[in-house]
Short mmCIF file of all heavy atoms in Angstrom, two decimals:
data_model
loop_
_atom_site.label_atom_id
_atom_site.label_comp_id
_atom_site.label_asym_id
_atom_site.label_seq_id
_atom_site.Cartn_x
_atom_site.Cartn_y
_atom_site.Cartn_z
N LEU A 113 0.88 -1.21 0.00
CA LEU A 113 -0.01 0.01 0.00
C LEU A 113 0.88 1.23 -0.01
O LEU A 113 1.78 1.37 0.87
CB LEU A 113 -0.90 0.02 1.25
CG LEU A 113 -1.81 -1.18 1.40
CD1 LEU A 113 -2.52 -1.13 2.72
CD2 LEU A 113 -2.78 -1.32 0.27
N ALA A 114 0.69 2.14 -0.94
CA ALA A 114 1.49 3.35 -1.12
C ALA A 114 0.61 4.59 -0.97
O ALA A 114 -0.26 4.84 -1.77
CB ALA A 114 2.22 3.34 -2.42
N GLY A 115 0.84 5.36 0.07
CA GLY A 115 0.01 6.54 0.34
C GLY A 115 0.59 7.81 -0.20
O GLY A 115 1.79 8.06 -0.07
N VAL A 116 -0.21 8.62 -0.83
CA VAL A 116 0.20 9.92 -1.39
C VAL A 116 -0.83 10.94 -0.92
O VAL A 116 -2.03 10.67 -0.88
CB VAL A 116 0.20 9.86 -2.90
CG1 VAL A 116 0.63 11.21 -3.52
CG2 VAL A 116 1.16 8.78 -3.40
N SER A 117 -0.38 12.17 -0.62
CA SER A 117 -1.24 13.16 0.01
C SER A 117 -2.04 14.01 -0.98
O SER A 117 -2.61 15.02 -0.56
CB SER A 117 -0.38 14.08 0.88
OG SER A 117 0.38 14.93 0.08
N GLY A 118 -2.14 13.62 -2.20
CA GLY A 118 -2.90 14.46 -3.15
C GLY A 118 -3.76 13.59 -4.03
O GLY A 118 -3.82 12.37 -3.84
N GLU A 119 -4.40 14.22 -5.01
CA GLU A 119 -5.24 13.52 -5.98
C GLU A 119 -4.36 13.17 -7.15
O GLU A 119 -4.08 13.99 -8.00
CB GLU A 119 -6.41 14.31 -6.42
CG GLU A 119 -7.35 13.49 -7.26
CD GLU A 119 -8.71 14.15 -7.43
OE1 GLU A 119 -9.09 15.00 -6.66
OE2 GLU A 119 -9.36 13.84 -8.47
N VAL A 120 -3.85 11.92 -7.14
CA VAL A 120 -2.90 11.47 -8.16
C VAL A 120 -3.65 11.03 -9.43
O VAL A 120 -4.61 10.28 -9.37
CB VAL A 120 -2.11 10.24 -7.61
CG1 VAL A 120 -1.14 9.75 -8.60
CG2 VAL A 120 -1.38 10.65 -6.34
N LEU A 121 -3.18 11.57 -10.56
CA LEU A 121 -3.80 11.17 -11.80
C LEU A 121 -3.36 9.81 -12.21
O LEU A 121 -2.30 9.30 -11.74
CB LEU A 121 -3.48 12.22 -12.92
CG LEU A 121 -4.50 13.43 -12.90
CD1 LEU A 121 -4.39 14.24 -11.66
CD2 LEU A 121 -4.31 14.27 -14.14
N THR A 122 -4.11 9.15 -13.03
CA THR A 122 -3.98 7.72 -13.29
C THR A 122 -2.57 7.26 -13.72
O THR A 122 -2.11 6.24 -13.25
CB THR A 122 -4.97 7.34 -14.43
OG1 THR A 122 -6.27 7.66 -13.99
CG2 THR A 122 -4.93 5.88 -14.78
N ARG A 123 -1.90 8.01 -14.53
CA ARG A 123 -0.60 7.54 -15.07
C ARG A 123 0.44 7.39 -14.00
O ARG A 123 1.30 6.54 -14.11
CB ARG A 123 -0.13 8.54 -16.12
CG ARG A 123 -0.95 8.43 -17.36
CD ARG A 123 -0.36 9.24 -18.51
NE ARG A 123 -1.19 9.08 -19.66
CZ ARG A 123 -1.66 10.08 -20.40
NH1 ARG A 123 -1.25 11.32 -20.13
NH2 ARG A 123 -2.40 9.85 -21.45
N ILE A 124 0.36 8.15 -12.93
CA ILE A 124 1.34 7.99 -11.87
C ILE A 124 1.09 6.65 -11.16
O ILE A 124 2.03 5.92 -10.86
CB ILE A 124 1.31 9.18 -10.89
CG1 ILE A 124 1.72 10.44 -11.59
CG2 ILE A 124 2.21 8.87 -9.64
CD1 ILE A 124 1.67 11.68 -10.72
N GLY A 125 -0.14 6.29 -10.90
CA GLY A 125 -0.49 5.02 -10.27
C GLY A 125 -0.03 3.88 -11.16
O GLY A 125 0.52 2.86 -10.64
N GLU A 126 -0.28 4.00 -12.45
CA GLU A 126 0.11 2.95 -13.42
C GLU A 126 1.68 2.82 -13.42
O GLU A 126 2.18 1.71 -13.47
CB GLU A 126 -0.40 3.23 -14.77
CG GLU A 126 -1.89 3.10 -14.90
CD GLU A 126 -2.40 3.61 -16.25
OE1 GLU A 126 -1.70 4.29 -17.02
OE2 GLU A 126 -3.57 3.31 -16.54
N HIS A 127 2.35 3.95 -13.38
CA HIS A 127 3.83 3.96 -13.39
C HIS A 127 4.32 3.20 -12.17
O HIS A 127 5.22 2.36 -12.27
CB HIS A 127 4.30 5.42 -13.39
CG HIS A 127 5.77 5.57 -13.48
ND1 HIS A 127 6.37 6.82 -13.64
CD2 HIS A 127 6.81 4.73 -13.41
CE1 HIS A 127 7.68 6.70 -13.68
NE2 HIS A 127 7.96 5.43 -13.52
N LEU A 128 3.77 3.50 -10.99
CA LEU A 128 4.20 2.86 -9.74
C LEU A 128 3.95 1.35 -9.85
O LEU A 128 4.81 0.54 -9.49
CB LEU A 128 3.47 3.43 -8.56
CG LEU A 128 3.81 2.76 -7.22
CD1 LEU A 128 5.27 2.95 -6.86
CD2 LEU A 128 2.89 3.22 -6.11
N LYS A 129 2.76 0.94 -10.32
CA LYS A 129 2.47 -0.48 -10.35
C LYS A 129 3.40 -1.22 -11.33
O LYS A 129 3.81 -2.35 -11.06
CB LYS A 129 1.02 -0.67 -10.82
CG LYS A 129 0.01 -0.39 -9.74
CD LYS A 129 -1.39 -0.62 -10.23
CE LYS A 129 -2.41 -0.29 -9.12
NZ LYS A 129 -3.76 -0.66 -9.48
N ASN A 130 3.79 -0.56 -12.44
CA ASN A 130 4.66 -1.18 -13.40
C ASN A 130 6.07 -1.35 -12.85
O ASN A 130 6.81 -2.30 -13.21
CB ASN A 130 4.71 -0.34 -14.69
CG ASN A 130 3.47 -0.48 -15.50
OD1 ASN A 130 2.74 -1.44 -15.38
ND2 ASN A 130 3.21 0.55 -16.28
N GLU A 131 6.51 -0.46 -11.96
CA GLU A 131 7.88 -0.49 -11.43
C GLU A 131 7.98 -1.20 -10.08
O GLU A 131 9.07 -1.51 -9.60
CB GLU A 131 8.39 0.95 -11.26
CG GLU A 131 8.50 1.74 -12.54
CD GLU A 131 9.56 1.18 -13.48
OE1 GLU A 131 10.64 0.68 -13.00
OE2 GLU A 131 9.35 1.23 -14.71
N SER A 132 6.85 -1.43 -9.43
CA SER A 132 6.84 -2.00 -8.07
C SER A 132 7.47 -3.38 -8.04
O SER A 132 7.25 -4.21 -8.90
CB SER A 132 5.41 -2.07 -7.55
OG SER A 132 5.37 -2.72 -6.28
N PRO A 133 8.24 -3.67 -6.99
CA PRO A 133 8.81 -4.99 -6.82
C PRO A 133 7.76 -6.00 -6.29
O PRO A 133 8.05 -7.18 -6.21
CB PRO A 133 9.95 -4.80 -5.80
CG PRO A 133 9.53 -3.61 -5.03
CD PRO A 133 8.79 -2.74 -6.00
N PHE A 134 6.59 -5.50 -5.98
CA PHE A 134 5.52 -6.36 -5.45
C PHE A 134 4.44 -6.53 -6.49
O PHE A 134 4.03 -5.61 -7.18
CB PHE A 134 4.91 -5.72 -4.16
CG PHE A 134 5.96 -5.53 -3.11
CD1 PHE A 134 6.47 -4.24 -2.89
CD2 PHE A 134 6.45 -6.58 -2.40
CE1 PHE A 134 7.42 -4.02 -1.89
CE2 PHE A 134 7.41 -6.36 -1.40
CZ PHE A 134 7.91 -5.12 -1.17
N ARG A 135 3.97 -7.80 -6.60
CA ARG A 135 2.95 -8.10 -7.63
C ARG A 135 1.67 -7.30 -7.42
O ARG A 135 1.04 -6.83 -8.37
CB ARG A 135 2.65 -9.59 -7.58
CG ARG A 135 1.75 -10.04 -8.68
CD ARG A 135 1.32 -11.48 -8.55
NE ARG A 135 0.35 -11.47 -7.40
CZ ARG A 135 -0.13 -12.48 -6.78
NH1 ARG A 135 0.31 -13.68 -7.13
NH2 ARG A 135 -0.93 -12.39 -5.78
N ASP A 136 1.26 -7.18 -6.18
CA ASP A 136 0.02 -6.45 -5.82
C ASP A 136 0.38 -5.15 -5.13
O ASP A 136 0.87 -5.13 -3.97
CB ASP A 136 -0.83 -7.32 -4.93
CG ASP A 136 -1.28 -8.58 -5.60
OD1 ASP A 136 -1.66 -8.54 -6.77
OD2 ASP A 136 -1.19 -9.66 -4.97
N THR A 137 0.18 -4.04 -5.85
CA THR A 137 0.50 -2.71 -5.33
C THR A 137 -0.72 -1.82 -5.51
O THR A 137 -1.29 -1.77 -6.60
CB THR A 137 1.68 -2.11 -6.10
OG1 THR A 137 2.81 -2.95 -5.92
CG2 THR A 137 2.04 -0.71 -5.57
N ILE A 138 -1.11 -1.17 -4.43
CA ILE A 138 -2.27 -0.26 -4.48
C ILE A 138 -1.79 1.14 -4.01
O ILE A 138 -1.16 1.26 -2.94
CB ILE A 138 -3.37 -0.74 -3.55
CG1 ILE A 138 -3.90 -2.09 -4.00
CG2 ILE A 138 -4.51 0.29 -3.47
CD1 ILE A 138 -4.85 -2.77 -3.07
N MET A 139 -2.09 2.17 -4.81
CA MET A 139 -1.81 3.54 -4.42
C MET A 139 -3.03 4.10 -3.71
O MET A 139 -4.14 4.06 -4.28
CB MET A 139 -1.46 4.39 -5.62
CG MET A 139 -1.09 5.79 -5.22
SD MET A 139 -0.58 6.81 -6.64
CE MET A 139 1.16 6.32 -6.68
N ILE A 140 -2.83 4.63 -2.54
CA ILE A 140 -3.91 5.25 -1.76
C ILE A 140 -3.69 6.74 -1.86
O ILE A 140 -2.65 7.28 -1.47
CB ILE A 140 -3.90 4.77 -0.30
CG1 ILE A 140 -4.10 3.25 -0.26
CG2 ILE A 140 -4.98 5.52 0.49
CD1 ILE A 140 -3.84 2.66 1.11
N THR A 141 -4.67 7.46 -2.39
CA THR A 141 -4.55 8.89 -2.51
C THR A 141 -5.29 9.62 -1.44
O THR A 141 -6.04 9.05 -0.69
CB THR A 141 -5.03 9.37 -3.93
OG1 THR A 141 -6.44 9.09 -4.04
CG2 THR A 141 -4.30 8.63 -5.02
N HIS A 142 -5.05 10.94 -1.33
CA HIS A 142 -5.71 11.77 -0.29
C HIS A 142 -5.30 11.33 1.09
O HIS A 142 -6.07 11.46 2.02
CB HIS A 142 -7.22 11.82 -0.45
CG HIS A 142 -7.70 12.34 -1.77
ND1 HIS A 142 -7.83 11.54 -2.86
CD2 HIS A 142 -8.02 13.54 -2.16
CE1 HIS A 142 -8.26 12.22 -3.88
NE2 HIS A 142 -8.39 13.47 -3.49
N ALA A 143 -4.09 10.78 1.25
CA ALA A 143 -3.62 10.33 2.54
C ALA A 143 -2.79 11.40 3.26
O ALA A 143 -1.93 12.00 2.62
CB ALA A 143 -2.78 9.06 2.38
N ASN A 144 -3.07 11.64 4.53
CA ASN A 144 -2.25 12.57 5.32
C ASN A 144 -2.26 14.01 4.78
O ASN A 144 -1.22 14.61 4.59
CB ASN A 144 -0.83 12.09 5.47
CG ASN A 144 -0.77 10.74 6.18
OD1 ASN A 144 -1.56 10.51 7.08
ND2 ASN A 144 0.12 9.91 5.75
N GLY A 145 -3.41 14.56 4.51
CA GLY A 145 -3.48 15.93 4.00
C GLY A 145 -3.76 15.95 2.50
O GLY A 145 -4.21 14.97 1.95
N SER A 146 -3.47 17.09 1.88
CA SER A 146 -3.80 17.17 0.45
C SER A 146 -2.77 18.06 -0.22
O SER A 146 -2.60 19.22 0.15
CB SER A 146 -5.18 17.73 0.24
OG SER A 146 -5.42 17.86 -1.16
N SER A 147 -2.18 17.56 -1.27
CA SER A 147 -1.29 18.34 -2.10
C SER A 147 -1.99 18.82 -3.36
O SER A 147 -1.38 19.32 -4.27
CB SER A 147 -0.07 17.47 -2.49
OG SER A 147 0.59 17.08 -1.34
#
């Protein structure tokens, strides 16, 4: 689980999933404030 503090557009989440060393990766947005 990867938390980001803003509203991340789709391509960033896809980029992370493609590069992640883990098969199952979920990006959680709006975490800990808002950018």
Side-chain angles (χ1 to χ4, degrees):
L113 303 174
V116 180
S117 71
E119 187 167 338
V120 178
L121 275 65
T122 302
R123 290 188 179 132
I124 296 177
E126 290 171 348
H127 184 174
L128 178 65
K129 286 181 180 187
N130 289 335
E131 299 292 326
S132 176
F134 302 103
R135 188 188 71 191
D136 298 315
T137 300
I138 298 171
M139 181 176 278
I140 301 169
T141 64
H142 300 86
N144 299 324
S146 177
S147 299

